Amino acid sequence: MSEPMEISLQNATVGDSLDQNGVSESVPSPILTQEKVLVSVEVCLKASSTSRSDDVRSAVERMLENRSLSYTDGSVPVSLDDPFLVENVQRICICETDEWVEKHDVLLFWQVKPVVHVFQLSEEGPCEESSGDGQLSIFNEWILPAKEFDGLWESLIYEPGLKQRLLRYAASALLFTEKGVNPFLVSWNRIILLHGPPGTGKTSLCKALAQKLSIRFNTRYPQCQLVEVNAHSLFSKWFSESGKLVAKLFQKIQEMVEEETNLVFVLIDEVESLAAARKAALSGSEPSDSIRVVNALLTQLDKLKSSPNVIILTTSNITAAIDIAFVDRADIKAYVGPPTIQARYEILRSCLQELLRSGILTNSQECDRLLLLSYTGLKEKLNVAQIEEPGNPHLCKQLLEAAEACEGLSGRSLRKLPFLAHASLANPYSCDPSKFLCTMTDTAKRECAGLLSES
């Protein structure tokens, strides 16, 4: 978070002009007449708080008005001068200003219109819906926003724009429905399909998206639920029963969406197991019961289309195996591939910061400063001047070398890499970051070599 910045508005006018009566009037500065940038400010309430969200929202808005801030992603300290906020607020975070930061723009307080979202985490955990006969549960259900998913969105690092694109899609889908846009003239299904190789975080991204949307739309939908479908439990050992189980599942979902203030997210992981291409079944390579399952799924999705308060989130590792009719229904088909060099660097950077915070690695003031360099900041610094020092390379340069050595590893493997590197240390109780990064680079090379041998 940037330091508070005082901005003088004394010269906000660029000159005087005369109105029709010859009276001098001020002409506002062009920059002040521009449309303000909407910036989300998320306010997490303490578990003990019983205050109304509107009261907390007003208090936070007043606090922001009284402080001259430059807006960048990160936490904002709760004002100690406001006992009401101290008593009720756990944290305040500014979100999604990275688009302007990448353009080297600084968002100053008078350019921003903060949009405050107040929420309280549910600690209930998932509940299961059994399919009966001692079989696997049909689905797991969470009340959102859930404590289990807190911080998940921020931990997921992808190519720039992917997460923002998904947020904007959902906002448009809900807005179109709320405004009564004629679906026969403008069509949308509120279905998202994330596809790509295993280990790229598609399922986690779906859960994090549902969590984020439950926070952003809690004024319109004070109740939010995430239903994670267990696709494998829907295939019955009894012939022709699978289609009936799919219909039974969606009947329960339909009951949830009948409450207009309830926003329901339906997550179908590995959707190809439910929406397998019917062409394969007709050719005899798939059981005929799978045709009934696909038909039932498509029918139920079409029924849900008339419900404005449901969003379908699906993932697939094998897009070619999905029935074309389902793929055609998806509004967004986003490919989630292996992390780029920038994403690998940022993932490893977040891992190292956590190891420093927890004391696993020896900390120092210099280390903190270097590790805070983002990939963009590091590349800019490398372009200005070489940062190599003989015998003492900076941690950020070592981190970049480690990220380069990780090419081909999935996001899941990258998150495990620091643990594997630490497990290979001779003395795991005493290690400085520089030596650890050397070990992690060697570990990455071994992991990549293992992938090549397997292929």
Side-chain angles (χ1 to χ4, degrees):
M1 184 65 202
S2 303
E3 292 295 321
M5 184 180 296
E6 299 294 337
I7 303 295
S8 173
L9 296 180
Q10 293 178 353
N11 298 320
T13 59
V14 294
D16 294 330
S17 64
L18 298 180
D19 64 12
Q20 294 179 347
N21 297 320
V23 179
S24 176
E25 61 180 2
S26 297
V27 178
S29 169
I31 196 168
L32 292 180
T33 60
Q34 292 177 358
E35 184 177 352
K36 289 194 174 185
V37 176
L38 299 179
V39 171
S40 293
V41 179
E42 296 182 357
V43 181
C44 180
L45 296 178
K46 293 179 179 178
S48 58
S49 175
T50 57
S51 296
R52 294 172 63 250
S53 295
D54 289 343
D55 295 337
V56 176
R57 184 179 300 107
S58 299
V60 171
E61 289 173 348
R62 287 194 301 270
M63 186 195 85
L64 295 174
E65 288 175 1
N66 294 331
R67 302 178 64 185
S68 302
L69 292 172
S70 55
Y71 279 74
T72 55
D73 283 10
S75 61
V76 177
V78 178
S79 176
L80 299 179
D81 297 332
D82 192 327
F84 175 75
L85 290 180
V86 172
E87 180 183 356
N88 289 283
V89 173
Q90 179 176 323
R91 67 173 184 270
I92 302 174
C93 290
I94 294 173
C95 308
E96 290 137 33
T97 62
D98 52 337
E99 183 177 338
W100 285 269
V101 173
E102 286 180 7
K103 296 176 183 177
H104 309 288
D105 293 334
V106 177
L107 285 176
L108 304 176
F109 69 95
W110 43 274
Q111 296 173 295
V112 170
K113 177 178 176 53
V115 182
V116 179
H117 306 279
V118 180
F119 66 98
Q120 195 166 34
L121 296 172
S122 169
E123 300 183 3
E124 291 187 17
C127 63
E128 297 182 352
E129 176 69 24
S130 175
S131 58
D133 298 329
Q135 297 183 15
L136 294 172
S137 60
I138 296 179
F139 63 81
N140 293 329
E141 178 188 351
W142 284 269
I143 303 299
L144 298 179
K147 187 175 182 180
E148 184 173 344
F149 305 139
D150 189 32
L152 181 58
W153 178 265
E154 290 73 21
S155 72
L156 297 171
I157 300 171
Y158 297 101
E159 62 183 50
L162 174 60
K163 295 197 294 185
Q164 191 64 252
R165 178 189 173 198
L166 293 176
L167 275 179
R168 288 173 177 168
Y169 158 78
S172 294
L174 293 173
L175 179 65
F176 272 46
T177 305
E178 187 175 332
K179 293 295 185 181
V181 176
N182 189 334
F184 295 109
L185 299 178
V186 180
S187 179
W188 71 103
N189 295 308
R190 296 186 302 279
I191 298 177
I192 296 174
L193 171 61
L194 303 182
H195 61 97
T200 52
K202 300 181 293 296
T203 304
S204 295
L205 180 55
C206 285
K207 292 178 179 178
L209 178 63
Q211 174 93 340
K212 183 65 69 171
L213 292 172
S214 72
I215 294 171
R216 298 296 173 85
F217 291 95
N218 64 357
T219 303
R220 171 67 181 84
Y221 300 102
Q223 303 174 61
C224 292
Q225 295 163 277
L226 170 63
V227 176
E228 182 178 19
V229 177
N230 186 346
H232 303 289
S233 71
L234 295 175
F235 284 96
S236 172
K237 59 183 178 181
W238 305 110
F239 183 73
S240 79
E241 285 295 308
S242 298
K244 295 178 181 178
L245 286 174
V246 171
K248 179 182 176 183
L249 163 69
F250 278 87
Q251 182 180 354
K252 292 181 179 293
I253 294 172
Q254 191 70 52
E255 292 171 1
M256 295 178 186
V257 302
E258 285 177 359
E259 179 60 53
E260 294 182 355
T261 60
N262 192 23
L263 180 58
V264 179
F265 301 93
V266 180
L267 169 57
I268 308 176
D269 202 16
E270 297 180 6
V271 72
E272 65 270 11
S273 61
L274 279 184
R278 286 170 289 185
K279 184 178 180 180
L282 291 171
S283 66
S285 59
E286 291 288 339
S288 59
D289 194 29
S290 65
I291 297 180
R292 295 185 178 89
V293 173
V294 178
N295 291 339
L297 177 64
L298 296 178
T299 300
Q300 297 302 324
L301 289 177
D302 289 340
K303 286 183 180 179
L304 280 179
K305 185 177 178 180
S306 62
S307 302
N309 52 332
V310 61
I311 294 179
I312 311 296
L313 308 168
T314 65
T315 72
S316 175
N317 297 332
I318 322 168
T319 324
I322 306 176
D323 193 272
I324 187 63
F326 177 86
V327 175
D328 188 55
R329 281 167 169 79
D331 299 321
I332 281 193
K333 296 170 279 288
Y335 176 74
V336 184
T340 61
I341 177 62
Q342 179 174 354
R344 297 197 301 270
Y345 178 91
E346 293 295 348
I347 289 172
L348 294 180
R349 182 169 76 106
S350 67
C351 291
L352 283 181
Q353 286 176 319
E354 177 60 18
L355 294 181
L356 285 166
R357 183 203 64 79
S358 62
I360 296 292
L361 299 181
T362 307
N363 204 345
S364 71
Q365 184 176 358
E366 184 182 12
C367 293
D368 285 342
R369 179 178 63 82
L370 290 170
L371 284 173
L372 286 175
L373 279 175
S374 66
Y375 179 82
T376 304
L378 173 60
K379 298 300 287 186
E380 288 179 353
K381 192 164 186 176
L382 286 171
N383 290 335
V384 172
Q386 293 296 317
I387 62 171
E388 289 185 354
E389 294 180 7
N392 183 28
H394 284 242
L395 293 181
C396 49
K397 181 69 182 299
Q398 285 185 282
L399 185 60
L400 181 60
E401 292 172 355
E404 290 170 345
C406 293
E407 185 172 2
L409 294 183
S410 67
R412 181 185 297 152
S413 298
L414 282 170
R415 291 288 181 190
K416 289 191 290 187
L417 188 64
F419 171 79
L420 296 176
H422 188 270
S424 66
L425 294 174
N427 183 5
Y429 300 101
S430 177
C431 185
D432 68 85
S434 181
K435 291 181 180 179
F436 179 77
L437 281 171
C438 290
T439 304
M440 192 163 70
T441 301
D442 293 339
T443 305
K445 291 177 180 177
R446 286 198 303 270
E447 292 292 307
C448 290
L451 287 177
L452 291 174
S453 63
E454 289 176 5
S455 60

